[in-house]
Each structure stands twice: as C-alpha cells, then as structure tokens.
Amino acid sequence: MKEISPPRAPACPPRRRLCLAVDVEQYSRLDTRAQSAVQSELVRLLEEAAALTGLDRAAWTRQPQGDLEFAVLPEATPEDAVLGPFVHHLAVRLRDRNDRPVAHRVRLRMAVDTGVAEDAALGHAGPAPVAVARYVNAPPLKAALAGLTAADLAVVVSDRLYQDVVRSGRPDLDPVEYVRVHVRVKEFGGYGWVRVPGHGPDDVRAAVAAEAPEPRHAPDAGAPDRARLSQYVHQGAAVGGDVFGGLAVGLPLPSGRSGPVLPGSSGSGPLR
C-alpha cells in the first residue's frame, strides 16, 4: 500500500514592505574626513525626521552603504506619513543644517517604493529593493537636483505609491506637486513621480527637461529597436504627459489592428 504523505503547510505569502533609499549628492568629491562627517550628519537627519514624524527608526531594517542608506520599514508603517510629514521634516532639518555656517553643504536624493522585500544573505531581495535602487539613481531625479540649485532635497516615488497614496486625498499630500518622469536605469524601466520640496512642479519640469538627453535615432528608421519600446504606447504615440528622461516611442500598429502595443521585451515595463 502506497504511503500517503501529509499535506504541506502553505507557504508564507510574500511580505510587502515600504522601502526607501537616501543618497548624498556629490559625495565622492569630499575628502575622507568630510565623508565621515557627512555620513554622521545623514544618520542624524534621518533620525530627527523620523522622531518628529512619530516613526520608530529602531524598527527599520537598515542597510548603510557609505553615502547611501537603504531601509525596509515595518509592515505597519503608514505610507502617507513617510511621503508627507517625514519628507517635510527631513527637508526642514536639512535646510536648517545648510543655513548654518558649515564646511560642506549636504544635498539629498530620496526614493520610495512599496512591494515585496525579503531578507537575503547580502541584504534584501525582491522587486521593491531593486526598484528603489534604480529610482534613487534616476537621471530625471539627478537632473531636478542639479537644475534647482537652491534645493536641498529631491524625492521620487514609484507610480504605484503615487496612484495608491498620493492621489488618495490624504492630508499633507498634494498630487499637483509631483511631476511624472520616465526612469530607465540598467535593465529597469518604469515611471516615477518627482517632487522637490520648496519648488513648484513647473520649476521641476523645467529642470528635468533641461537635462533630458536628446532622443537617439536608430540607423534604420524603418526598424526601431523593440527592446526600448515604452510600456505606455498607443498607435505609435506615448500616452500621458509630463514624461521626461529617455522615453522611447513605440511602433505604429499594423493595418487593421487596434489596441495598445505591448512592450517589446521583458524588463522594459515598470515593476508592479
């Protein structure tokens, strides 16, 4: 008689967590002593902003990387508190710090996303940690900070967070302050929303547009590179506005066919 194995326990569902990364602009230009001081300043600023927001930094799973801190926040963390009050307090504390006579001005880029983030041997694994790492190095985010020289902080949030949280009408979050950008870093492609505290969306658009690369034309105009098609294309035109930073327009549809054109390859669409 064949032995019947006991049923397996159901696998734990993936844990969805809020992830953020904060990076120091032009850190490599500092000498060793200044780098050490700036690292300490970054930790202090994040701790002060979290305390003023009512967030428990001790509960964050932090992964320091020199000029950058990546963190996975507890599952119960209110996302609107991070995108609203935490960003506000960080911007204020950073401005106060830079208004004092200091040897080196500190300017920060911050990226936030939510999704699967699991503990791994070298830190964390999952779509959200990868997306945050790409967002914080996105050319449009760097362009916003480079173009708005009076700004101390530039923030990008994923399209998922913008749609689910920013547009939900919660206090301290104004969707009008954000500018949609297209992000392509390494194999990652998707949309994000950039906000620069203290600057309006028109200023952000101008700064991003000024630094946007010229569109690259394929040698054969009749055979564009399908690997670079945008994920939001309808009959050869990008759908939606306020898109900056290397958006590639897709192929027109064959005759007699209607509907959106799908991405040409895996990895070109946003992480969902």
Side-chain angles (χ1 to χ4, degrees), residues 48-57 78 89:
E48 290 177 353
L52 291 168
T53 309
L55 301 175
D56 182 10
R57 275 268 290 173
H89 290 304

Side-chain angles (χ1 to χ4, degrees), residues 222-247:
D225 183 1
R226 288 182 176 270
R228 296 184 59 81
L229 298 183
S230 167
Q231 68 270 39
Y232 292 105
V233 176
H234 180 65
Q235 296 185 353
V239 177
D242 300 335
V243 183
F244 303 100
L247 174 63

Side-chain angles (χ1 to χ4, degrees), residues 54-140:
L55 301 175
D56 182 10
R57 275 268 290 173
W60 294 17
T61 303
R62 299 164 50 200
Q63 189 174 327
Q65 300 174 26
D67 61 333
L68 179 147
E69 180 179 301
F70 170 78
V72 179
L73 279 57
E75 291 181 81
T77 302
E79 296 168 340
D80 56 334
V82 174
L83 300 184
F86 177 76
V87 169
H88 168 75
H89 290 304
L90 180 59
V92 170
R93 300 303 296 158
L94 187 55
R95 182 193 63 203
D96 291 346
R97 184 265 180 200
N98 288 334
D99 282 345
R100 300 194 303 268
V102 291
H104 304 283
R105 183 182 177 194
V106 174
R107 306 178 77 208
L108 302 176
R109 303 190 314 274
M110 177 177 172
V112 193
D113 193 11
T114 184
V116 174
E118 298 181 353
D119 294 339
L122 298 178
H124 295 85
V130 172
V132 164
R134 303 301 180 246
Y135 277 123
V136 80
N137 288 304

Side-chain angles (χ1 to χ4, degrees), residues 167-248:
R167 294 188 62 192
S168 64
R170 305 184 195 187
D172 302 314
L173 294 177
D174 184 359
V176 176
E177 294 182 355
Y178 294 77
V179 172
R180 190 172 76 155
V181 298
H182 189 260
V183 176
R184 178 174 280 114
V185 179
K186 296 185 178 180
E187 74 288 350
F188 175 85
Y191 287 102
W193 295 81
V194 173
R195 176 191 169 209
V196 179
H199 292 76
D202 290 340
D203 293 336
V204 176
R205 289 188 188 95
V208 173
E211 297 292 329
E214 292 295 326
R216 295 187 298 177
H217 300 284
D220 181 2
D225 183 1
R226 288 182 176 270
R228 296 184 59 81
L229 298 183
S230 167
Q231 68 270 39
Y232 292 105
V233 176
H234 180 65
Q235 296 185 353
V239 177
D242 300 335
V243 183
F244 303 100
L247 174 63

Side-chain angles (χ1 to χ4, degrees), residues 35-51:
Q35 288 179 352
S36 178
V38 166
Q39 288 187 31
S40 297
E41 291 271 6
L42 175 59
V43 172
R44 179 181 63 81
L45 290 166
L46 294 174
E47 289 178 349
E48 290 177 353

Side-chain angles (χ1 to χ4, degrees), residues 136-163:
V136 80
N137 288 304
L141 184 65
K142 293 182 177 181
L145 202 56
L148 300 173
T149 56
D152 296 315
L153 175 66
V155 181
V156 60
V157 304
S158 66
D159 186 65
R160 172 174 28 227
L161 275 176
Y162 178 83
Q163 302 299 339

